[in-house]
């Protein structure tokens, strides 16, 4: 690839991005507040575009991107990128799940232990003057069966951490072969439905997973489960989760992501689900902070720029 490549950065990234790009002789132009209209006009000058989740990268954004060769996603999920269009245009995608997998792994364990040991529930009670030990007796992770769906960087980071808790970890990944390792047993989806006490989702948002976790999905579990979603909100049909909680198919749930994360724009159904979930003592909600640590903010840049370096030097 030619020298003097220019990279347009259109979202907030850790400040190290500018220096790291210069080290590999790429000229950075950092414009985190740029509008979509401005990107459309200015992209013509750039070979590389760095984005995060807020920028939808599609045909309309790239109409004038005649020089563009690489889109770098500073993070893991690439559901905001039109992969088919980019492939058609010969534009390569790089992302950086290796940079925030530790943060996701830790947040998943934190949410799971909080659910099982009533950490958030009892904290709220104590701060309101209620000292209830029996009502907050915990359930141990030790001896339980944890199902992980999606065994990429995130699923594996969770399994790795679970290995010290004395539980059995089962993993299912439709797109991997030979993925069993020292942290999990690779199993069928049916085995997870049959055996899991806990389910943690770590799949990407693609057509196949959009709305995948619905009534039918929850009905398939043989035991009431602890349910965790730190992947994408659109994968879970919220009314189905609400029903599953009401009929004790789901004992407790931890959600770091929602279908609509702009809480002041919820439609009626989303609002009803949100009101139910936020008033349920067996539900924990966090604002999409899995993967969002001080360390990952920097590590994402390191990973992305290493991948960029490999790509432009081969
Ligand atoms: C990811 O996919 O890495 C996370 O969801 C965070 O993405 P964001 O910080 O760009 O929203």
């Amino acid at each position: 690839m030619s020298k003097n490549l220019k990279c347009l950065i259109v979202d907030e990234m850790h400040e190290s991005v500018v220096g790291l790009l210069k080290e590999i002789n790429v000229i950075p132009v950092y414009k985190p507040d740029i509008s979509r209209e401005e990107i459309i006009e200015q992209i013509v000058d750039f070979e590389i575009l760095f984005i995060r989740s807020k920028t939808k990268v599609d045909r309309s954004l790239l109409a004038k991107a005649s020089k563009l060769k690489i889109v770098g996603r500073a993070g893991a999920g690439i559901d905001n990128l039109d992969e088919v269009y980019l492939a058609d245009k010969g534009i390569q995608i790089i992302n950086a799940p290796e940079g925030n997998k530790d943060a996701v792994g830790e947040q998943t364990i934190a949410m799971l232990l909080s659910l099982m040991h009533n950490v958030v529930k009892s904290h709220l009670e104590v701060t309101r003057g209620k000292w209830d030990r029996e009502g907050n007796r915990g359930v141990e992770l030790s001896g339980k069966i944890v199902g992980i769906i999606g065994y990429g960087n995130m699923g594996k980071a969770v399994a790795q951490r679970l290995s010290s808790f004395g539980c059995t970890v089962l993993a299912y990944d439709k797109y991997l072969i030979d993925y069993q390792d020292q942290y999990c047993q690779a199993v069928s989806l049916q085995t997870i439905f049959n055996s899991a006490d806990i389910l943690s989702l770590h799949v990407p948002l693609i057509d196949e997973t959009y709305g995948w976790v619905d009534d039918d999905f929850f009905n398939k579990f043989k035991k009431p489960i602890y349910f965790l979603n730190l992947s994408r909100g659109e994968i879970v049909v919220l009314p189905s989760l609400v029903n599953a909680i009401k009929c004790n198919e789901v004992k407790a749930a931890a959600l770091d992501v929602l279908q609509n994360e702009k809480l002041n724009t919820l439609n009626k159904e989303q609002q009803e689900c949100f009101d139910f979930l936020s008033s349920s003592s067996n539900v924990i909600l966090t604002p999409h902070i899995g993967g969002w640590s001080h360390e990952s903010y920097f590590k994402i840049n390191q990973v992305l720029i290493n991948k960029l370096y490999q790509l432009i030097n081969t």
Side-chain angles (χ1 to χ4, degrees), residues 11 52-54 73-77 100 231-232 288 290 292 300:
D11 203 347
R52 288 210 355 242
S53 60
K54 81 169 188 203
R73 174 15 176 153
N100 59 1
S231 55
R232 284 291 182 268
H288 203 146
W292 185 255
I300 282 171

Side-chain angles (χ1 to χ4, degrees), residues 151-152 156 171-188:
Y151 203 63
K156 189 166 180 162
Y172 169 73
D173 194 306
K174 186 174 178 184
Y175 294 97
L176 294 178
I177 41 170
D178 289 340
Y179 57 94
Q180 177 153 319
D181 59 15
Q182 71 267 46
Y183 308 118
C184 80
Q185 289 170 41
V187 297
S188 66

Side-chain angles (χ1 to χ4, degrees), residues 11-12 51-55 73-80 95-97 99-101 104 154 230-232 256-257 261 288-292 297 300:
D11 203 347
E12 297 275 353
I51 51 109
R52 288 210 355 242
S53 60
K54 81 169 188 203
T55 308
R73 174 15 176 153
I78 54 169
D79 39 284
N80 52 325
N95 66 343
N100 59 1
K101 67 182 166 83
V104 171
M154 308 307 176
L230 288 89
S231 55
R232 284 291 182 268
D256 181 50
V257 288
E261 296 178 352
H288 203 146
I289 51 171
W292 185 255
Y297 201 28
I300 282 171

Side-chain angles (χ1 to χ4, degrees), residues 108-109 112 116 140-149 155 158-159 162-163 165-172 183-185 187 191-192 195-202 221 223 225-226 228:
T108 306
I109 301 298
L112 178 57
M116 298 185 79
E140 293 181 13
L141 181 48
S142 174
K144 299 296 180 299
I145 300 178
V146 185
I148 294 178
I149 301 185
V158 174
L162 285 171
S163 62
F165 285 97
C167 49
T168 301
V169 180
L170 307 179
Y172 169 73
Y183 308 118
C184 80
Q185 289 170 41
V187 297
T191 305
I192 290 193
S195 330
D197 299 295
I198 294 147
L199 180 78
S200 195
L201 276 186
H202 297 283
F221 285 87
K223 298 184 247 178
I225 53 166
Y226 289 85
L228 293 97

Side-chain angles (χ1 to χ4, degrees), residues 6-292:
K6 286 174 75 184
C7 177
L8 178 62
I9 303 153
V10 300
D11 203 347
E12 297 275 353
M13 288 179 66
H14 185 272
E15 59 192 8
S16 59
V17 69
V18 169
L20 288 168
L21 280 170
K22 285 182 181 164
E23 275 175 32
I24 63 164
N25 296 318
V26 170
I27 303 160
V29 176
Y30 187 61
K31 295 191 172 180
D33 298 321
I34 192 171
S35 69
R36 188 168 174 90
E37 290 67 35
E38 288 168 331
I39 301 174
I40 292 171
E41 289 311 315
Q42 295 176 27
I43 193 75
V44 63
D45 290 329
F46 293 87
E47 290 82 10
I48 305 161
L49 172 68
F50 275 7
I51 51 109
R52 288 210 355 242
S53 60
K54 81 169 188 203
T55 308
K56 196 165 164 33
V57 181
D58 56 12
R59 182 184 293 268
S60 73
L61 188 86
L62 302 184
K64 300 181 183 168
S66 50
K67 290 190 194 166
L68 195 70
K69 292 279 172 288
I70 298 167
V71 174
R73 174 15 176 153
I78 54 169
D79 39 284
N80 52 325
L81 275 57
D82 183 339
E83 289 183 72
V84 175
Y85 177 72
L86 292 176
D88 195 45
K89 286 283 172 193
I91 299 169
Q92 286 180 278
I93 299 171
I94 47 175
N95 66 343
E98 300 86 349
N100 59 1
K101 67 182 166 83
D102 293 330
V104 171
E106 291 188 15
Q107 168 94 1
T108 306
I109 301 298
M111 294 185 92
L112 178 57
L113 292 176
S114 298
L115 278 186
M116 298 185 79
H117 292 276
N118 298 311
V119 175
V120 176
K121 173 178 175 283
S122 63
H123 164 77
L124 290 172
E125 288 175 6
V126 172
T127 56
R128 288 164 193 155
K130 182 175 169 189
W131 192 267
D132 175 12
R133 295 179 71 200
E134 193 50 46
N136 287 298
R137 199 182 273 276
V139 174
E140 293 181 13
L141 181 48
S142 174
K144 299 296 180 299
I145 300 178
V146 185
I148 294 178
I149 301 185
Y151 203 63
N153 285 284
M154 308 307 176
K156 189 166 180 162
V158 174
Q160 212 167 355
R161 283 155 182 81
L162 285 171
S163 62
S164 60
F165 285 97
C167 49
T168 301
V169 180
L170 307 179
Y172 169 73
D173 194 306
K174 186 174 178 184
Y175 294 97
L176 294 178
I177 41 170
D178 289 340
Y179 57 94
Q180 177 153 319
D181 59 15
Q182 71 267 46
Y183 308 118
C184 80
Q185 289 170 41
V187 297
S188 66
L189 195 51
Q190 191 56 50
T191 305
I192 290 193
F193 289 137
N194 291 345
S195 330
D197 299 295
I198 294 147
L199 180 78
S200 195
L201 276 186
H202 297 283
V203 291
L205 177 63
I206 52 176
D207 288 347
E208 208 179 346
T209 58
Y210 190 100
W212 180 49
V213 176
D214 58 5
D215 292 328
D216 190 42
F217 181 93
F218 287 120
N219 287 337
K220 287 183 175 140
F221 285 87
K222 296 276 186 290
K223 298 184 247 178
I225 53 166
Y226 289 85
F227 175 75
L228 293 97
N229 186 14
L230 288 89
S231 55
R232 284 291 182 268
E234 294 91 333
I235 295 168
V236 178
V237 178
L238 271 196
S240 299
L241 175 61
V242 167
N243 285 338
I245 294 171
K246 284 181 179 164
C247 65
N248 199 38
E249 283 173 352
V250 168
K251 272 189 192 178
L255 307 177
D256 181 50
V257 288
L258 293 171
Q259 182 189 14
N260 183 355
E261 296 178 352
K262 295 190 174 80
L263 296 184
N264 56 356
T265 67
L266 302 184
N267 65 29
K268 189 167 176 291
E269 184 180 65
Q270 290 168 341
Q271 189 67 53
E272 281 168 11
C273 290
F274 181 77
D275 291 345
F276 172 83
L277 295 169
S278 51
S279 62
S280 299
S281 58
N282 54 348
V283 174
I284 301 177
L285 302 169
T286 50
H288 203 146
I289 51 171
W292 185 255

